[in-house]
Amino acid sequence: MLTSIKENKLTTKGQELGMMYFRVAIILFGAQLLMGLIAAFQFLFPSLLFELFDFSVARMVHINALVVWMLYAMIGSTYIMLTEETGHEGVALGLGKLGFWVLTVAVTVVVLVYIFVQVGAGNETTLWLINEGREYLEAPRWADIGIVVVVLIFYFNVFATYMKGEKTGIMTVMVANLMALAGLYLAGMIYTDNISMDQFWWWWVIHLWVEATWEVFVGTLAAFALIRLIGAKREVVEMWLWIEVLMLFGSGILGMGHHYFWIGTPEYWWEIGALFSALEPVPLIAMFVHVLYDWGKEQGAHEAKGEPKSVITNGPAMSWLVLNAFGNFLGAGIWGFFHTLPQVNIYTHGTQFTAAHGHLSFFGAYATILIGMMYYGIQKAYGVERLKATFKSKMGMFLVTFGVMGMTIALTIAGYEQVLVERGEMGATWNAFFTAQNLPWYIQAQLWRAIMGVVTFVGFIYLVWDLLTIGKEAQGAEA
Ligand code: HEM
Ligand code: HEM
Ligand SMILES: [Fe+2]
């Protein structure tokens, strides 16, 4: 992947830019995992790195790096598919390249500041220069403004290319959805010193990203990838895409009520949140059925014509795409539904159960398909007809997935124990929290999470190793 940009003349400008975004994304993904490991071991050894690199800092960098690498990979995927979908080489991509460098320098500075200036009072100056203090979106205000400018450049690239090129259904959804996705970031910049209002707006970004605009975004990626990888029929995938857009926005927007149960918003949110968020898994199931249905249908069609069944042009990308269908359904649909009714959430709110859902959903719905797009990018960058999974691809896929699933199960057990002991039995007092944290069930679950975290990390090393070598190997095999 590193050499792919220089070595190959076949890539279009958009693909070149996409690969640049992917490289930074994978580095940030690695940083995210390392921070997660530190935080996981701090659960087991609370004095580990105390006052040198506190849990609060490790956790903060872990989840901010998560959001940033995913945004990088999303921008990368868009650039990768831009020319293929529109049939146009891309408008003002030189400016896009400049944007990439500005963003990357800003992200580096922000992370260094997080690491070197860890604690201190929060005031107007720190808000601008150090940390905004909003979970997942902690970038200081100066960086926020920089991000907005870079995103505007990116959006201009996509929009102008769309206007000049072919307007497919996939691109129309993408262009409209990206505007909503980028616009929502502004809601996270509203400043108020009222904590309820602050949380109210903050959820507009977090929830309306992951449960509406990001879901639609990966819907467009899946539609595009299915056409390219297994030759799915455009009319079929696009029809499903429109249905999903309708359903996701329908349930996702009011589903936000499930974050308004306990922050001081009016009580009518209980009913709204309960009803609409409970409907949210429906489109996720539809998407799941959609991918598998298409797959079976295409295979069946080939069989009927007496053609060879396997028409996958990119094995690892397709496997990650299938993992995405399962992961989205399980992590967001099932683990989300578990705790979405207020009657249940009163016991589970803020326990390790939430963390279990957070891990499986972000991984299942987003990490998987974005990694798949990286493999697709590599195939294009090296100009190979067919990219077959190697031993390293399989080890990466298996260990990362097994590790995240293992962490999720461990955290679910820890959360279950918290619900029973801390919430049910002891009434959610301060004392109850510490009692529950010190019981063997909880400690053992945290130990298993750390072990599974290491498994995930080993898988990640295989993944990176594969990304760095698979393109060249495939090129060599085809030559
Ligand atoms: C891919 C989609 C999704 C992602 C990435 C995601 C991620 C997350 C994360 C990270 C949190 C914790 C936020 C925090 O730090 O406070 C959270 C909370 C929550 N999610 Fe999701 N989620 C997704 C979809 C869903 C769906 C479809 C449902 C419901 C059916 C759901 C229900 C909830 C609920 C109820 C909470 C609040 C938990 C609490 O009270 O502690 N999520 N989600
Ligand atoms: C090496 C593997 C990993 C380890 C050891 C790890 C560990 C941790 C730890 C210790 C926390 C803090 C939990 C708390 O505050 O109680 C955390 C939070 C979080 N991690 Fe990870 N993590 C890993 C990988 C991942 C991956 C692959 C993803 C998603 C793609 C992810 C997403 C999250 C999210 C969304 C949160 C916030 C959850 C919440 O507050 O509800 N992590 N992680
Ligand atoms: Fe939500």
Side-chain angles (χ1 to χ4, degrees):
M1 182 152 84
L2 276 178
T3 46
S4 58
I5 294 172
K6 290 200 189 73
E7 275 193 7
N8 213 296
K9 310 282 178 287
L10 290 173
T11 48
T12 64
K13 278 259 168 316
Q15 283 166 353
E16 198 177 304
L17 199 49
M19 293 307 283
M20 288 165 73
Y21 271 99
F22 282 162
R23 283 193 288 174
V24 179
I26 206 82
I27 293 169
L28 286 169
F29 186 17
Q32 181 213 348
L33 295 184
L34 280 176
M35 293 294 150
L37 281 175
I38 294 176
F41 280 98
Q42 284 169 331
F43 264 100
L44 298 170
F45 310 104
S47 56
L48 181 75
L49 298 176
F50 183 58
E51 291 194 337
L52 199 70
F53 201 74
D54 287 349
F55 173 79
S56 57
V57 183
R59 182 185 192 280
M60 175 187 76
V61 183
H62 178 59
I63 60 178
N64 280 270
L66 160 78
V67 172
V68 177
W69 88 251
M70 291 198 166
L71 290 173
Y72 261 80
M74 285 161 75
I75 297 179
S77 307
T78 311
Y79 278 128
I80 291 275
M81 64 184 266
L82 194 60
T83 301
E84 276 185 65
E85 257 319 275
T86 58
H88 187 281
E89 59 178 355
V91 178
L93 293 183
L95 199 61
K97 210 168 219 175
L98 180 73
F100 165 83
W101 286 111
V102 172
L103 188 63
T104 305
V105 170
V107 167
T108 312
V109 174
V110 169
V111 173
L112 290 177
V113 171
Y114 284 166
I115 291 175
F116 289 106
V117 191
Q118 297 184 13
V119 281
N123 53 39
E124 194 77 22
T125 320
T126 60
L127 180 86
W128 274 94
L129 299 179
I130 298 173
N131 184 323
E132 212 179 37
R134 283 191 172 114
E135 207 193 350
Y136 301 94
L137 309 167
E138 265 128 324
R141 190 56 50 94
W142 72 265
D144 270 348
I145 294 170
I147 290 168
V148 171
V149 173
V150 173
V151 169
L152 282 175
I153 296 177
F154 161 67
Y155 194 71
F156 175 71
N157 286 156
V158 179
F159 187 75
T161 310
Y162 167 75
M163 291 308 285
K164 291 210 165 145
E166 204 184 320
K167 297 175 188 56
T168 62
I170 294 178
M171 275 314 289
T172 306
V173 173
M174 170 151 279
V175 165
N177 183 57
L178 276 178
M179 188 190 284
L181 198 160
L184 283 168
Y185 187 76
L186 302 177
M189 290 171 64
I190 295 170
Y191 181 74
T192 152
D193 54 12
N194 178 317
I195 190 81
S196 288
M197 280 165 67
D198 186 86
Q199 289 275 295
F200 183 91
W201 291 116
W202 173 76
W203 280 116
W204 274 52
V205 193
I206 299 301
H207 173 101
L208 293 180
W209 265 5
V210 301
E211 281 156 78
T213 49
W214 283 29
E215 284 282 8
V216 171
F217 181 83
V218 292
T220 55
L221 288 190
F224 168 78
L226 281 171
I227 294 174
R228 299 285 154 181
L229 301 180
I230 58 168
K233 263 212 160 55
R234 184 175 282 278
E235 301 80 61
V236 177
V237 285
E238 285 192 345
M239 179 197 72
W240 273 105
L241 186 62
W242 285 112
I243 296 175
E244 282 160 19
V245 170
L246 208 72
M247 292 210 290
L248 271 172
F249 278 124
S251 57
I253 292 177
L254 286 172
M256 188 155 60
H258 66 191
H259 302 294
Y260 289 168
F261 295 152
W262 327 110
I263 63 167
T265 38
E267 285 178 15
Y268 51 74
W269 281 107
W270 294 358
E271 286 80 21
I272 298 175
L275 178 67
F276 288 93
S277 70
L279 288 174
E280 276 186 61
V282 177
L284 300 180
I285 293 170
M287 258 191 240
F288 179 71
V289 174
H290 154 188
V291 176
L292 295 188
Y293 170 84
D294 258 14
W295 170 260
K297 199 169 145 282
E298 293 304 318
Q299 295 291 51
H302 285 289
E303 205 174 25
K305 280 192 233 150
E307 292 170 0
K309 254 193 180 178
S310 177
V311 286
I312 308 167
T313 53
N314 187 325
M318 188 62 203
S319 309
W320 280 106
L321 201 72
V322 174
L323 276 177
N324 173 256
F326 277 94
N328 202 356
F329 171 60
L330 279 178
I334 302 288
W335 256 261
F337 182 74
F338 273 165
H339 60 167
T340 206
L341 296 177
Q343 298 88 325
V344 176
N345 196 267
I346 193 169
Y347 293 104
T348 57
H349 181 60
T351 59
Q352 292 296 315
F353 191 88
T354 306
H357 159 64
H359 279 85
L360 195 60
S361 56
F362 261 113
F363 174 74
Y366 303 119
T368 48
I369 195 163
L370 294 171
I371 296 172
M373 286 303 289
M374 289 181 191
Y375 275 105
Y376 183 73
I378 285 178
Q379 185 188 0
K380 294 286 133 184
Y382 283 90
V384 287
E385 295 266 306
R386 209 162 155 197
L387 200 68
K388 284 194 201 143
T390 64
F391 177 70
K392 281 165 275 171
S393 327
K394 290 176 196 165
M395 284 301 278
M397 205 176 314
F398 173 71
L399 290 177
V400 170
T401 309
F402 184 72
V404 173
M405 200 61 220
M407 287 197 291
T408 304
I409 292 169
L411 292 171
T412 304
I413 293 172
Y416 203 86
E417 186 262 4
Q418 281 182 292
V419 167
L420 288 180
V421 179
E422 179 196 326
R423 304 284 163 91
E425 203 170 313
M426 297 184 68
T429 60
W430 182 244
N431 189 28
F433 175 76
F434 288 101
T435 305
Q437 298 252 327
N438 288 316
L439 287 174
W441 273 16
Y442 189 90
I443 295 171
Q444 284 178 13
Q446 289 292 355
L447 175 65
W448 277 105
R449 191 269 294 276
I451 294 171
M452 287 300 170
V454 174
V455 172
T456 309
F457 194 73
V458 175
F460 173 76
I461 292 172
Y462 270 108
L463 172 70
V464 176
W465 187 13
D466 193 45
L467 288 171
L468 290 174
T469 52
I470 191 171
K472 211 173 195 137
E473 282 171 21
Q475 214 172 30
E478 274 185 13

